[in-house]
Amino acid sequence: VTIAVLGTGAVGRTIASKLVELGHDVIMGSRTRDSDKAAEWVRTTDGRGAQGTFADAAGPADVVFNCTSGVGSLAAVELAGRDRLRRKILIDVSNPLDFSRGMPPSLTVCNTDSLGEQIQRALPETKVVKTLNTVNHLVMVDPLRIPGDHVIYVAGNDAGARAQVAGWLGDWFGWKPGSIIDLGDITAARGTEMVLPLWIRLMSTLGTPVFNFTIAR
Amino acid sequence: VTIAVLGTGAVGRTIASKLVELGHDVIMGSRTRDSDKAAEWVRTTDGRGAQGTFADAAGPADVVFNCTSGVGSLAAVELAGRDRLRRKILIDVSNPLDFSRGMPPSLTVCNTDSLGEQIQRALPETKVVKTLNTVNHLVMVDPLRIPGDHVIYVAGNDAGARAQVAGWLGDWFGWKPGSIIDLGDITAARGTEMVLPLWIRLMSTLGTPVFNFTIAR
């Protein structure tokens, strides 16, 4: 499959590299066609990765990861293009964090709405699935670096797309089926995005971003 | 010690009953002096529990639990009285959930503020410690009903009060020291209160309110 990764930050680079390593065709999309950060990433792939604008990446892609920063996500998917994303699965990894007033960040949207829902509304014919946004990027593509059945959530309006994404989480990144929790429709993104303030506080308290939650019952 | 429990709902009754069982003098406070629900609770205590207004409960108390519903908490602590709560520890178990528009509830405050902070601002000379609000009331007083080192958070501006409350969580309810995470000042209440939307969604998904989170790392 051809996979677009929107975003050139640590999250995008980590996911894109893992997908290249698995033999997929990966196009990293950014605002400009000649992004230095994307070019730097392409150089690490022995020519197997490509770069382009958000639209360049979205056009040929079978599936799209949104790894842009939350404050830029709506503009990014707009540039990627509603038509180019039509009927495709968009895996939304972003969080609506606003760092403009320093630490801790505030959320740009929460409570009765979420960034996942905003993106779904902006792309009504795309199957948006929110996932992976509750863990550090190192954990996203390598859950085995943390012991135990720690969990990852999927949320989206299309049950088939949620199941497909759950399968990819397993096949591509090694998430065990029992660790993947299907929360149902995209409104569940409110809950997974609103975990971020606690997550950020715990990162300071624990002294590491490499942790995750297990559910005990 | 004499303990005031503000609130006559399931949370208040569960905590008050556990404290009576441990031999403490417990006064359940409510808006009116002759609350039927408080009276019903008092009848279950073989005369060891008492009831009264929020002020009646707060006056003689050494420590106060706020177990009122979030939408009523500020009014309740106001009625309990800033003077009567001066220099005391108030353990805030409430969540800012607004059920007036049905399920799921929205939060009355979140993101850049929290109910814990609102209560601390309303009671500047009281040591407010936010805790227990991330688990079902049955788990609050009996963490051993769930296996594993599942966690509970304490947050408050006074480090001594946080340590004192952590001790009580162990002595009164059986929380193991390793399960208690000190998140620091009361602004951490934002994070623990904002977990509620995910918690509520998980309750539906898992089909039970008796679960909690463990931290894997």
Side-chain angles (χ1 to χ4, degrees):
Chain A
V1 287
T2 298
I3 302 169
V5 173
L6 312 183
T8 62
V11 175
R13 291 198 305 267
T14 301
I15 286 180
S17 291
K18 180 68 186 179
L19 294 170
V20 159
E21 194 186 308
L22 293 167
H24 298 296
D25 292 323
V26 178
I27 311 167
M28 180 173 281
S30 57
R31 214 163 48 76
T32 58
R33 185 157 285 148
D34 58 350
S35 150
D36 287 344
K37 285 175 78 181
E40 195 187 303
W41 172 77
V42 168
R43 277 195 296 277
T44 67
T45 66
D46 291 326
R48 289 178 295 167
Q51 76 176 102
T53 62
F54 290 128
D56 294 337
D62 298 301
V63 52
V64 179
F65 279 86
N66 173 36
C67 303
T68 60
S69 69
V71 290
S73 287
L74 284 170
V77 300
E78 207 67 52
L79 287 167
R82 194 166 149 162
D83 287 353
R84 286 179 212 96
L85 296 172
R86 177 170 289 139
R87 282 189 291 277
K88 294 177 183 174
I89 290 176
L90 181 139
I91 301 174
D92 177 30
V93 180
S94 65
N95 276 308
L97 299 176
D98 176 3
F99 291 92
S100 67
R101 277 160 298 190
M103 283 294 284
S106 58
L107 301 186
T108 60
V109 56
C110 63
N111 201 1
T112 56
D113 198 3
S114 63
L115 183 54
E117 289 166 271
Q118 289 180 332
I119 292 173
Q120 180 61 84
R121 288 198 300 272
L123 304 170
E125 296 164 284
T126 300
K127 295 164 186 173
V128 175
V129 177
K130 187 97 201 182
T131 192
L132 293 176
N133 63 304
T134 52
V135 295
N136 176 266
H137 61 96
L138 299 173
V139 180
M140 292 179 186
V141 301
D142 185 16
L144 295 176
R145 70 164 57 216
I146 298 176
D149 285 327
H150 53 95
V151 298
I152 203 76
Y153 306 104
V154 292
N157 293 339
D158 187 287
R162 295 198 305 273
Q164 175 66 265
V165 170
W168 287 331
L169 290 179
D171 295 344
W172 294 345
F173 303 140
W175 287 92
K176 291 178 274 184
S179 292
I180 303 170
I181 299 186
D182 183 343
L183 290 175
D185 72 66
I186 192 68
T187 62
R190 298 174 197 177
T192 67
E193 293 173 7
M194 288 170 81
V195 171
L196 265 288
L198 176 63
W199 191 94
I200 290 165
R201 191 82 169 213
L202 278 172
M203 179 176 62
S204 308
T205 303
L206 302 173
T208 175
V210 180
F211 68 88
N212 194 10
F213 298 100
T214 302
I215 293 173
R217 51 170 162 157
Chain B
V1 284
T2 298
I3 302 170
V5 173
L6 311 183
T8 62
V11 175
R13 290 197 305 268
T14 301
I15 286 180
S17 291
K18 181 69 186 177
L19 293 170
V20 160
E21 193 186 309
L22 293 167
H24 298 296
D25 293 322
V26 179
I27 312 166
M28 181 173 281
S30 58
R31 214 162 48 75
T32 57
R33 184 157 286 148
D34 57 350
S35 153
D36 286 344
K37 286 174 80 181
E40 194 187 304
W41 172 77
V42 168
R43 277 195 297 276
T44 68
T45 66
D46 292 327
R48 289 179 294 167
Q51 76 177 102
T53 62
F54 290 129
D56 293 338
D62 298 300
V63 52
V64 178
F65 279 86
N66 173 36
C67 303
T68 60
S69 68
V71 290
S73 287
L74 284 170
V77 300
E78 207 67 50
L79 287 167
R82 195 167 148 162
D83 285 353
R84 286 179 211 96
L85 296 172
R86 177 170 289 141
R87 282 189 292 276
K88 295 177 182 175
I89 291 177
L90 181 138
I91 301 174
D92 177 30
V93 179
S94 64
N95 277 307
L97 299 175
D98 176 3
F99 290 91
S100 67
R101 276 159 302 190
M103 282 294 282
S106 59
L107 300 186
T108 60
V109 56
C110 63
N111 201 3
T112 55
D113 198 3
S114 63
L115 183 53
E117 289 165 271
Q118 289 180 332
I119 291 173
Q120 180 61 82
R121 289 198 300 272
L123 304 170
E125 295 163 285
T126 300
K127 296 164 185 172
V128 175
V129 177
K130 187 98 199 180
T131 192
L132 294 176
N133 64 306
T134 53
V135 295
N136 176 266
H137 61 97
L138 299 172
V139 180
M140 291 178 188
V141 301
D142 185 15
L144 295 177
R145 70 163 57 217
I146 299 177
D149 284 328
H150 53 94
V151 297
I152 202 75
Y153 306 104
V154 292
N157 294 339
D158 188 287
R162 294 198 306 273
Q164 175 67 265
V165 169
W168 287 330
L169 290 179
D171 296 343
W172 294 345
F173 303 140
W175 287 92
K176 290 178 276 185
S179 293
I180 303 170
I181 299 185
D182 183 343
L183 290 175
D185 72 67
I186 192 68
T187 62
R190 299 174 196 178
T192 66
E193 293 173 8
M194 287 171 82
V195 170
L196 266 286
L198 177 63
W199 191 95
I200 291 165
R201 190 83 169 213
L202 278 172
M203 179 177 61
S204 307
T205 303
L206 302 174
T208 175
V210 180
F211 68 89
N212 194 10
F213 298 99
T214 302
I215 293 173
R217 52 171 161 159

